[in-house]
Amino acid sequence: MEESSHQNHSITFSNSTTSAFLRKIKEHAPTLLISGSILLLLTGLIVTATVLCIIFFSPLILFTSPIWFPIGAFLFVVTAGFMSLCGFGGAVVAGLSWIYRYFRGMHPPGPDQFGNGRSWIYDTASHVKDHATQYGGYLQSKEKLDSAPAAPEARRAQQIWEAVVKA
């Protein structure tokens, strides 16, 4: 009776691909065990060597740091400057190439956006002008009601507003 109380706790997979994968792992278990052991041993050796190098070479690094820090800072600045110069040079070459192709009529990507931007600016300016013309009387009556002397900034803003309305 006790023998029947023990249940089979093995995992059953319905997927044939999974069972085939597990079968292949069982076939290659000795090879995987040996490879894993070798990798674990090499990892231990590398960690040990790193710690020993830090212990033995830290006094040398500490005593020579007044030499290494300026050298490292100089190399960093020179490298960053060179990379920036290369990046800006590449951007200039790309821009000049685009301008050359635009004026030669070779239609580089994006020249139609100049016209779109120009019309967008014109449309916005005309809307501002219409708005200023429509509500300009309100501001002029507001100025008449405000009899206190205006600050120079307010007078300058009013002059700019009138110039926009006239435009």
Side-chain angles (χ1 to χ4, degrees):
M1 186 68 92
E2 289 182 28
E3 290 179 15
S4 63
S5 66
H6 294 289
Q7 296 177 359
N8 187 0
H9 292 290
S10 65
I11 300 172
T12 58
F13 295 100
S14 61
N15 191 353
S16 63
T17 307
T18 307
S19 60
F21 176 71
L22 290 175
R23 227 178 302 116
K24 286 187 179 185
I25 286 180
K26 284 181 182 178
E27 291 173 5
H28 297 290
T31 307
L32 293 174
L33 183 66
I34 292 171
S35 299
S37 301
I38 290 172
L39 289 174
L40 186 63
L41 177 71
L42 288 175
T43 303
L45 288 175
I46 289 172
V47 168
T48 304
T50 303
V51 169
L52 289 176
C53 285
I54 289 173
I55 290 172
F56 288 123
F57 290 116
S58 61
L60 178 67
I61 293 170
L62 184 65
F63 290 131
T64 60
S65 64
I67 297 169
W68 290 112
F69 181 76
I71 291 173
F74 175 75
L75 288 176
F76 175 76
V77 168
V78 167
T79 303
F82 179 73
M83 293 175 79
S84 297
L85 184 68
C86 289
F88 290 136
V92 166
V93 167
L96 290 175
S97 169
W98 190 93
I99 290 171
Y100 174 78
R101 291 169 62 197
Y102 178 75
F103 284 115
R104 295 289 290 178
M106 297 180 194
H107 303 294
D112 56 335
Q113 293 177 356
F114 279 135
N116 294 343
R118 196 176 305 126
S119 65
W120 180 79
I121 291 171
Y122 177 76
D123 291 342
T124 304
S126 66
H127 288 307
V128 169
K129 180 182 171 188
D130 294 341
H131 189 74
T133 305
Q134 184 178 3
Y135 294 105
Y138 170 75
L139 289 176
Q140 290 171 357
S141 66
K142 179 92 170 144
E143 183 180 322
K144 291 176 186 173
L145 292 175
D146 192 14
S147 60
E153 297 87 20
R155 278 189 292 240
R156 181 68 183 140
Q158 183 64 30
Q159 291 170 351
I160 292 172
W161 187 261
E162 290 172 358
V164 168
V165 171
K166 290 179 183 175

